[in-house]
Amino acid sequence: MPDSSFRPFPPQRPVHPRTMTTDSAPASNFLRTLIDNDLKSGRYQDRQWAPPPSPAEVRRAGAPDPARIRTRFPPEPNGYLHIGHAKSICLNFGLARDYQGICHLRFDDTNPEKEEDEYVHAIIDMVRWLGFDWTHDGVEHCYYASDYFETLYRYAEALVRAGHAYVDEQSADEMRATRGTLTEPGTNSPWRDRPADESLALLRDMRAGKFPDGRMALRARIDMASPNINLRDPVLYRIRHATHHRTGDAWCIYPMYAWAHPVEDALEGITHSICTLEFEDQRPFYDWILERLAELGELAPPLPRQHEFARLNLSYVVTSKRKLRQLVLEHHVDGWDDPRLPTLAGLRRRGYTPGSIRLFCERLGVSKADSRIDYGILEQALRDDLDPVAARAVAVLDPLKLVITNFPEGLEEPCSAPLNPHEPDGARRSFPSRASSGSSATTSARTRRRNTSACSRAIWCGSSTATSCAAPAASRTTAARSSRCTPNTCRTRAAARRARTPSRSRAPSPGSARPMPCPPRSACTTGCSPSRTPTAATAISCRRSIPTPAGW
Ligand code: ATP
Ligand code: MG
């Protein structure tokens, strides 16, 4: 079992105890079972680590890897992160934390036309904001696919020399046409069996910039009749005369994502490469690449393994960077942090807290079954995160001056309400007590939890005219309720509200005032109206004098 005392990054603030805490034992899932089994079998025990991420010959000379597992979060810097990414971030960083491992932040920057520095900074900002960090023992584990361009190229040459790859001179359309379908095999390219030396020379010319975009490509030689289309000689390198945001014009060939990704994982010593389900069909190619390179001595086992989980689909929400990018670039919204967008920057602007998003991701669990999550679950996570910490205010908008004629002389009673109705013994907010006509008038307000946590309701009796009344023997509460109501309707409404409210929020807090009876109808026939402020706090005021109801 993971050692929960290990915290490579600062502990996260616990969320509401009624729901769950980020410090509580993590719920089990198939990925945790997998990792448990891998650790038990010692699969990743004998790994060397020689930073920075390095090929086999350097790694073999390194020290034993101090991390029990390594995971990574691998965004492409072509846009801002959205709520779907939060699930992947919490999963990868969370697993690393729980298993005394390390999670790398790695930018998959293999597509220069769409990637920008601005996105790199925005992604770093958002992962930090969520509460995660990639620095361990003073080493920053933030990497870029472009750091490995030279190694990737070296490996590509090794594959060509070994007959595992060839340069194809077909156009992109021809390649697509000869790829076959789900029911029909593809057909071999006429260039498939060209000598390795010829392919090698052409690959070098490709790198040297001797050909225009799309003129040729490097392909893996696997099986054009494979039932898995991803194994029908996938492209490894394509020619793109484009300026990269980090490497500038140093390269005009760029590795395809499916080729670069397994190599990046292997160079970084990733043990569990966790990705979304759409990559499941890519897994055989992922393994094929790693096994060929290990056979050639370029990578040192144990090799990383890819595991897939179901992506987050949120109702009514677009979770694709590409589509969000279109909304932003075409100015349908006001930038990436437009509060209407499901980007993390937009959610932050809307008032979502990092804790609420972590709580949401924790509640989602991890599975392989595709599903759609209702947006209400995200909103509930925010309520539950804010509930214990949200400041509550009670306002008396139209106070009624009451003179309590039998209030003990000289008695001062503090008047306060708990800041959080779920923790009545916790911090309290005080209200000034007022003295009137030589007597102390004690005021009391009850905060009442409604469905929204930050929303409180103050029930008050207000009037501009002074009224005399006697303090009740048992309670000095002078608040009364009125709202165009009779005692009966008022009680009926209160009962209906209690029935709608979950019992836990109904439970009277110790020391709270007993339910207030309605004033007699005669006292409240005119002028009683609920007045609402634009804020969530609601004061119900009664503009007529209210005699102390019988029975107090
Ligand atoms: P694009 O639409 O540009 O492909 P993307 O949303 O897939 O963007 P990536 O940068 O490719 O974003 O994803 C980074 C990581 O986040 C990947 O490991 C990916 O599997 C994961 N991820 C992306 N979307 C989701 C989602 N909705 N739920 C869970 N994980 C996700
Ligand atoms: Mg993607």
Side-chain angles (χ1 to χ4, degrees), residues 72-89 91-92 106 108 114 123 257 261 274-279 309-314 318-325 364:
R72 84 286 169 271
F73 172 62
E76 187 185 349
N78 61 350
Y80 280 50
L81 298 181
H82 52 65
I83 184 69
H85 293 113
K87 179 173 178 182
S88 180
I89 294 169
L91 183 59
N92 279 294
R106 183 207 305 144
D108 253 313
K114 300 231 169 105
I123 289 171
Y257 174 84
H261 197 78
I274 298 164
C275 60
T276 37
L277 274 181
E278 66 266 26
F279 292 100
F309 69 99
R311 65 187 288 122
L312 166 66
N313 298 309
L314 201 56
V318 171
T319 45
S320 159
K321 259 198 271 115
R322 263 167 268 195
K323 291 178 185 160
L324 293 173
R325 190 181 153 91
L364 294 176

Side-chain angles (χ1 to χ4, degrees), residues 6-12 93-94 96-97 131-136 358:
F6 181 78
R7 290 282 183 276
F9 48 82
Q12 297 155 0
F93 281 93
R97 172 197 62 201
F132 299 104
D133 189 30
W134 42 89
T135 305
H136 299 272
R358 289 195 304 265

Side-chain angles (χ1 to χ4, degrees), residues 275-400:
C275 60
T276 37
L277 274 181
E278 66 266 26
F279 292 100
E280 196 169 21
D281 291 345
Q282 289 281 359
R283 183 161 18 105
F285 181 51
Y286 182 99
D287 292 339
W288 184 91
I289 291 284
L290 295 182
E291 284 159 17
R292 297 297 79 75
L293 290 173
E295 282 166 10
L296 296 171
E298 300 286 3
L299 294 177
L303 301 172
R305 275 203 182 157
Q306 177 181 303
H307 307 284
E308 308 86 18
F309 69 99
R311 65 187 288 122
L312 166 66
N313 298 309
L314 201 56
S315 56
Y316 316 115
V317 164
V318 171
T319 45
S320 159
K321 259 198 271 115
R322 263 167 268 195
K323 291 178 185 160
L324 293 173
R325 190 181 153 91
Q326 189 182 346
L327 288 175
V328 174
L329 297 189
E330 292 177 9
H331 303 290
H332 299 293
V333 292
D334 212 12
W336 284 99
D337 65 348
D338 188 308
R340 293 168 293 179
L341 287 182
T343 53
L344 293 177
L347 290 169
R348 174 168 71 179
R349 242 184 104 188
R350 215 154 104 200
Y352 275 83
T353 55
S356 68
I357 291 174
R358 289 195 304 265
L359 176 61
F360 170 67
C361 294
E362 207 173 320
R363 286 177 175 175
L364 294 176
V366 185
S367 86
K368 276 201 174 262
D370 253 328
S371 62
R372 189 160 291 278
I373 303 296
D374 192 87
Y375 202 86
I377 311 259
L378 176 61
E379 293 175 325
Q380 188 58 44
L382 178 61
R383 289 189 192 106
D384 290 338
D385 187 56
L386 288 179
D387 193 22
V389 291
R392 286 148 166 98
V394 177
V396 180
L397 299 179
D398 192 4
L400 166 68

Side-chain angles (χ1 to χ4, degrees), residues 24-314:
S24 63
S28 190
N29 60 50
F30 76 97
L31 287 174
R32 288 183 185 273
T33 308
L34 250 154
I35 296 173
D36 285 337
N37 292 342
D38 284 342
L39 292 177
K40 218 178 287 165
S41 70
R43 179 181 160 84
Y44 293 110
Q45 207 170 295
D46 302 320
R47 286 172 302 121
Q48 264 74 40
W49 172 249
S54 38
E57 69 277 7
V58 183
R59 179 84 63 75
R60 281 197 197 98
D65 193 337
R68 287 177 80 208
I69 63 166
R70 280 183 194 263
T71 56
R72 84 286 169 271
F73 172 62
E76 187 185 349
N78 61 350
Y80 280 50
L81 298 181
H82 52 65
I83 184 69
H85 293 113
K87 179 173 178 182
S88 180
I89 294 169
C90 291
L91 183 59
N92 279 294
F93 281 93
L95 286 172
R97 172 197 62 201
D98 293 343
Y99 284 92
Q100 302 170 45
I102 291 175
C103 179
H104 300 183
L105 174 63
R106 183 207 305 144
F107 291 96
D108 253 313
D109 54 352
T110 53
N111 192 0
E113 282 139 333
K114 300 231 169 105
E115 296 160 358
E116 291 173 30
D117 259 346
E118 177 200 346
Y119 299 139
V120 170
H121 296 306
I123 289 171
I124 288 177
D125 180 31
M126 278 302 120
V127 181
R128 287 227 165 95
W129 176 71
L130 272 181
F132 299 104
D133 189 30
W134 42 89
T135 305
H136 299 272
D137 296 331
V139 181
E140 268 210 42
H141 296 283
C142 176
Y143 304 111
Y144 296 81
S146 49
D147 290 341
Y148 314 133
F149 279 175
E150 199 59 58
T151 310
L152 277 158
Y153 180 79
R154 185 186 113 188
Y155 287 177
E157 285 207 352
L159 290 176
V160 171
R161 273 193 296 271
H164 294 310
Y166 62 99
V167 171
D168 191 352
E169 294 182 46
Q170 292 183 111
S171 67
D173 285 344
E174 285 167 333
M175 281 187 216
R176 211 169 295 122
T178 55
R179 211 168 163 221
T181 63
L182 287 173
T183 51
E184 286 174 13
T187 47
N188 287 353
S189 160
W191 309 104
R192 194 172 197 265
D193 293 321
R194 75 190 327 164
D197 284 349
E198 202 176 299
S199 280
L200 199 57
L202 284 171
L203 178 61
R204 289 176 181 167
D205 287 346
M206 278 168 62
R207 177 181 179 170
K210 294 192 178 166
F211 306 114
D213 288 3
R215 169 69 186 79
M216 52 186 73
L218 182 71
R219 293 179 77 177
R221 182 187 280 107
I222 308 180
D223 180 4
M224 287 302 290
S226 170
N228 183 340
I229 290 187
N230 297 298
L231 292 180
R232 293 182 190 168
D233 291 9
V235 171
L236 305 182
Y237 269 108
R238 78 275 200 210
I239 303 173
R240 281 278 180 288
H241 290 270
T243 304
H244 188 280
H245 69 106
R246 290 186 80 234
T247 58
D249 295 322
W251 294 86
C252 64
I253 55 171
Y254 289 96
M256 300 300 288
Y257 174 84
W259 147 240
H261 197 78
V263 175
E264 295 158 18
D265 282 348
L267 294 175
E268 293 180 18
I270 300 300
T271 55
H272 299 83
S273 178
I274 298 164
C275 60
T276 37
L277 274 181
E278 66 266 26
F279 292 100
E280 196 169 21
D281 291 345
Q282 289 281 359
R283 183 161 18 105
F285 181 51
Y286 182 99
D287 292 339
W288 184 91
I289 291 284
L290 295 182
E291 284 159 17
R292 297 297 79 75
L293 290 173
E295 282 166 10
L296 296 171
E298 300 286 3
L299 294 177
L303 301 172
R305 275 203 182 157
Q306 177 181 303
H307 307 284
E308 308 86 18
F309 69 99
R311 65 187 288 122
L312 166 66
N313 298 309
L314 201 56

